[in-house]
């Protein structure tokens, strides 16, 4: 048997950033007659962890598997191929995946022919791949975030060979165009506008797992948006680790405000974008968001910490004051904007005073919502080497205190919606009850709406009748 690909990730390579031009690969995905039959009468099960970048990647992975004739199953026990698309951002994401591998091992013992794959950000970690090689040899394929296009060949090799196949590139990354996609929703879609990240915040693993910042060409983005409009899509979310830096790596002078304006001119009904790093948020961007009705008044603006000392240690390159100034400008120019954030508590040696600074920013920004996390050391990042004398108990106490404050503003802001009429894109039946449907407002508030089945996929006017901490209730109004 020919020895298959065995390319393992490297931390040293992953950190490198060279001046080498990013390549746009338009024909890297190869599907031929033989590969397209591999999955005939077979089912795949895919489990996605992590952020929207992974969700979007899973939509491509699913499409590739369906190009190979696999059909999707929601039941892991029924699957002939199991794929875990993993996240490495915090230790608990990592632990969940290893827990799941334990379950899959049992399945594989009773059905040795199932093909088991692990991909995504954990696959880019040297330590994880070493552990899989040592303790999870029964697995079939490990591939990374840079070579999804090679999946057909990797699966074909795995079927012909019992050995664990590892193909993870740690190079900086290319932009791969023309990959298929099987979208989860018929009404809203994720559109990648850039890959990777060059910010290297000291706590974060993403620049190592996703490679260098590579913006997609404007024409490719606009083509994708126009295709979506033609298919009846109402909403696009432009995706990137820090979308405000869009274009900085291209030579044609395009910037995020200009891209937003061009996307707005396609007349797609709703445009969102995540995530905005406060560092690159320009006045031009604020103006464009304010100018176009189809750019949603919703901005996710990660704070991480309110302490200048901690922000410096994190390498975030803004201060508490400049952040507050930016938030103020945004609120002034985009009146009904909803502002959400990410906050980390317990960064190495965060003092009570530092934490108070974070609470102070929350009190001033009165966020519409926040994702809050306890700092989790990630191997090989600069922060993981910093001395940390704060106990876990103390960090948990801070998280609880922060969550109470965040939730207070969440509810206060939601209460302002009562009796107002807001536009909601109705997506599906609410988990609460069959007669209720759910969707999001322009400001990204989740609403459970009394309306009809025919409203699914439409943006309708909804009168808000009740506000809860994490959602609103309302009913359809005509007109
Ligand atoms: N690119 C985005 C963040 C992507 S990661 C940005 O810069 O805003 C999503 C969130 O996870 C981050 O905003 C941060 O709050 C959190 N996070 C990242 N690394 C973490 C770590 N090591 N421990 C705890 N939380 C972390
Ligand atoms: Fe991570 Fe910072 Fe990049 Fe966000 S900007 S992905 S937090 S390194
Ligand atoms: Fe996780 Fe990778 Fe996203 S580490 S948060 S899946 S970029």
């Amino acid at each position: 048997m020919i020895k298959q690909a065995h390319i393992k990730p490297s931390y040293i390579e992953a950190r490198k950033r060279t001046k080498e031009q990013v390549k746009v690969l338009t024909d890297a995905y190869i599907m031929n007659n033989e590969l397209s039959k591999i999955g005939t009468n077979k089912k795949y099960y895919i489990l996605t962890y992590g952020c929207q970048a992974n969700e979007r990647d899973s939509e491509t992975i699913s499409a590739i598997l369906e190009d190979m004739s696999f059909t999707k199953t929601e039941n892991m026990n029924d699957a002939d191929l199991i794929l875990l698309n993993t996240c490495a951002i915090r230790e608990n994401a990592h632990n969940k995946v290893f827990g799941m591998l334990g379950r899959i091992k049992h399945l594989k013992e009773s059905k040795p022919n199932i093909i088991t794959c692990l991909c995504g950000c954990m696959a880019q970690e040297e330590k994880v791949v070493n552990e899989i090689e040592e303790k999870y040899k029964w697995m079939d394929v490990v591939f990374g975030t840079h070579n999804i296009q090679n999946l057909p060949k990797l699966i074909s090799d795995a079927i012909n060979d019992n050995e664990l196949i590892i193909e993870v590139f740690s190079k900086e990354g290319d932009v791969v165009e023309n990959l298929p996609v099987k979208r989860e929703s018929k009404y809203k879609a994720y559109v990648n506008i850039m890959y990777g990240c060059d910010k290297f915040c000291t706590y974060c693993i993403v620049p190592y797992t996703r490679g260098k910042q590579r913006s997609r060409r404007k024409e490719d983005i606009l083509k994708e948006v126009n295709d979506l409009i033609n298919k009846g899509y109402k909403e696009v979310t432009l995706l990137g680790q820090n979308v405000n830096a869009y274009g900085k790596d291209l030579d044609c002078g395009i910037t995020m405000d200009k891209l937003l304006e061009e996307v707005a001119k396609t007349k797609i009904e709703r445009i969102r974008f995540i995530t905005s790093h406060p560092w690159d948020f320009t006045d031009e961007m604020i103006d464009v968001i304010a100018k176009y009705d189809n750019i949603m008044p919703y901005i996710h603006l990660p704070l991480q910490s309110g302490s200048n000392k901690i922000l410096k240690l994190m390498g975030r390159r803004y201060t508490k004051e400049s952040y507050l100034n930016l938030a103020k400008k945004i609120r002034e120019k985009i009146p009904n904007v909803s502002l959400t954030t990410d906050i980390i508590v317990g960064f190495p040696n965060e003092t009570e005073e530092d934490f108070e600074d974070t609470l102070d920013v929350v009190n001033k920004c009165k966020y519409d919502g926040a994702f809050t996390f306890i700092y989790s050391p990630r191997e090989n990042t600069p922060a993981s080497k910093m001395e940390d004398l704060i106990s876990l108990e103390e960090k948990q106490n801070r998280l609880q205190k922060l969550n109470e404050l965040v939730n207070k503003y969440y509810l206060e802001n939601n209460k302002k919606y009562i009796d107002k009429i807001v536009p909601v894109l109705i997506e599906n039946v609410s988990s609460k009850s069959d007669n209720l449907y759910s969707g999001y407002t322009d400001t990204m508030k989740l609403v459970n709406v009394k309306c009809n089945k025919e409203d699914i996929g439409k943006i309708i006017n909804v009168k808000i009748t009740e506000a809860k901490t994490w959602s609103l209730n309302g009913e359809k109004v005509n007109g």
Side-chain angles (χ1 to χ4, degrees):
M1 195 62 61
I2 316 151
K3 187 95 185 87
Q4 304 300 346
H6 202 79
I7 304 165
K8 290 174 61 179
S10 144
Y11 287 133
I12 292 172
E13 287 301 312
R15 192 180 328 177
K16 279 190 191 158
R17 292 294 185 265
T18 66
K19 292 260 175 276
E20 203 181 312
Q21 188 77 38
V22 169
K23 289 192 208 71
V24 181
L25 309 178
T26 51
D27 50 11
Y29 173 60
I30 296 165
M31 179 53 56
N32 59 31
N33 200 21
E34 192 187 331
L35 294 171
S36 74
K37 292 188 183 130
I38 286 181
T40 307
N41 298 327
K42 290 185 177 152
K43 293 186 185 136
Y44 74 94
Y45 176 80
I46 181 166
L47 206 53
T48 308
Y49 301 83
C51 67
Q52 293 87 351
N54 258 14
E55 286 176 32
R56 179 62 185 77
D57 283 349
S58 284
E59 292 183 336
T60 286
I61 292 167
S62 298
I64 293 178
L65 294 173
E66 297 194 9
D67 275 359
M68 299 173 75
S69 299
F70 285 95
T71 52
K72 187 171 181 160
T73 172
E74 302 293 340
N75 179 356
M76 189 167 83
N77 297 324
D78 266 359
D80 303 284
L81 184 145
I82 299 174
L83 196 144
L84 303 185
N85 190 6
T86 62
C87 169
I89 201 85
R90 283 170 291 273
E91 191 64 25
N92 57 356
H94 179 280
N95 292 344
K96 270 191 226 160
V97 169
F98 277 104
M100 182 51 80
L101 286 181
R103 272 183 62 190
I104 296 173
K105 183 173 185 224
H106 278 295
L107 261 177
K108 179 104 176 161
E109 278 162 1
S110 60
K111 284 165 73 183
N113 286 338
I114 48 176
I115 300 286
T116 52
C117 312
L118 184 139
C119 65
C121 288
M122 275 173 68
Q124 297 289 143
E125 289 184 276
E126 239 177 83
K127 190 177 164 201
V128 168
V129 174
N130 286 339
E131 193 168 340
I132 291 177
E133 262 193 314
E134 275 164 36
K135 300 190 197 140
Y136 300 81
K137 270 202 194 72
W138 51 267
M139 287 203 66
D140 297 286
V141 184
V142 176
F143 66 99
T145 57
H146 297 299
N147 55 341
I148 292 175
Q149 68 276 11
N150 295 350
L151 188 56
K153 164 97 171 61
L154 293 171
I155 290 176
S156 155
D157 288 349
I159 289 172
N160 295 320
D161 184 350
N162 272 335
E163 292 215 8
L164 168 62
I165 296 170
I166 299 172
E167 187 183 272
V168 181
F169 302 139
S170 299
K171 58 173 188 167
E172 299 161 291
D174 301 316
V175 171
V176 187
E177 292 294 347
N178 301 330
L179 292 179
V181 53
K182 184 190 179 222
R183 304 209 183 254
E184 284 290 318
S185 161
K186 283 193 274 200
Y187 320 109
K188 54 182 203 178
Y190 291 130
V191 174
N192 286 313
I193 62 167
M194 62 203 297
Y195 304 98
C197 179
D198 288 347
K199 295 277 191 269
F200 286 99
C201 302
T202 57
Y203 51 84
C204 182
I205 200 165
V206 173
Y208 308 89
T209 63
R210 292 272 169 183
K212 91 167 164 192
Q213 175 178 316
R214 290 106 64 204
S215 298
R216 278 180 83 197
R217 295 178 302 201
K218 183 186 79 180
E219 306 77 58
D220 294 323
I221 296 167
L222 291 175
K223 181 175 178 301
E224 188 171 338
V225 174
N226 281 315
D227 284 350
L228 288 163
I229 295 174
N230 291 337
K231 290 188 177 119
Y233 278 80
K234 298 279 192 304
E235 179 176 311
V236 289
T237 301
L238 309 179
L239 286 186
Q241 287 303 338
N242 43 87
V243 290
N244 310 16
Y246 172 78
K248 287 193 168 178
D249 52 305
L250 298 172
D251 292 331
C252 56
I254 182 98
T255 47
M256 183 57 179
D257 57 294
K258 292 183 186 138
L259 178 75
L260 268 178
E261 183 147 32
E262 297 227 18
V263 177
K265 285 180 180 162
T266 65
K267 297 269 192 316
I268 181 116
E269 289 185 56
R270 287 181 157 194
I271 301 160
R272 302 187 189 280
F273 52 93
I274 40 173
T275 294
S276 288
H277 191 301
W279 180 10
D280 300 302
F281 215 116
T282 60
D283 287 354
E284 287 81 3
M285 257 190 77
I286 304 178
D287 290 340
V288 165
I289 301 164
K291 180 174 166 192
Y292 287 92
D293 284 346
N294 57 346
I295 305 179
M296 296 297 99
Y298 161 68
I299 294 172
H300 186 65
L301 195 66
L303 167 70
Q304 313 302 3
S305 167
S307 149
N308 285 338
K309 178 191 97 190
I310 298 292
L311 284 170
K312 195 150 197 221
L313 287 173
M314 288 176 161
R316 290 291 285 183
R317 307 197 204 188
Y318 51 84
T319 60
K320 175 184 180 186
E321 293 72 27
S322 68
Y323 182 98
L324 285 171
N325 195 27
L326 174 62
K328 187 163 160 263
K329 259 197 287 187
I330 291 174
R331 284 219 192 272
E332 277 167 8
K333 291 205 173 169
I334 313 167
N336 64 332
V337 74
S338 108
L339 205 60
T340 60
T341 199
D342 291 347
I343 297 170
I344 297 175
V345 298
F347 189 80
N349 292 319
E350 178 191 66
T351 61
E352 197 53 40
E353 207 185 334
D354 295 321
F355 177 61
E356 290 294 328
D357 270 329
T358 299
L359 297 179
D360 186 42
V361 177
V362 173
N363 276 319
K364 292 196 163 100
C365 287
K366 302 183 170 46
Y367 293 107
D368 284 273
F371 296 109
T372 56
F373 312 101
I374 290 182
Y375 164 71
S376 168
R378 306 317 293 136
E379 206 198 21
N380 213 43
T381 56
S384 68
K385 294 168 191 133
M386 294 177 192
E387 188 190 29
D388 186 6
L389 302 172
I390 314 287
S391 70
L392 180 62
E393 196 189 354
E394 180 59 41
K395 293 181 185 195
Q396 281 163 341
N397 286 341
R398 286 183 193 164
L399 182 70
Q400 197 185 338
K401 204 166 161 189
L402 174 65
N403 284 343
E404 279 164 17
L405 190 65
V406 162
N407 290 343
K408 182 184 104 154
Y409 288 116
Y410 216 145
L411 183 61
E412 266 181 27
N413 285 320
N414 279 354
K415 280 189 174 158
K416 292 185 197 149
Y417 281 74
I418 290 180
D419 289 336
K420 287 211 172 119
I421 294 175
V422 289
V424 178
L425 170 56
I426 301 296
E427 289 167 30
N428 41 29
V429 178
S430 152
S431 50
K432 302 262 155 51
S433 134
D434 282 353
N435 307 325
L436 277 181
Y437 295 82
S438 68
Y440 289 86
T441 63
D442 50 349
T443 53
M444 202 65 181
K445 299 278 179 192
L446 174 65
V447 195
N448 295 306
V449 186
K450 272 191 213 148
C451 60
N452 313 311
K453 201 167 162 229
E454 294 71 46
D455 294 316
I456 292 182
K458 294 187 185 141
I459 297 169
I460 62 167
N461 283 328
V462 173
K463 184 169 178 185
I464 301 302
T465 51
E466 196 184 350
K468 300 187 174 166
T469 304
W470 292 291
S471 64
L472 303 168
N473 291 338
E475 53 201 27
K476 180 181 177 180
V477 290
N478 290 322

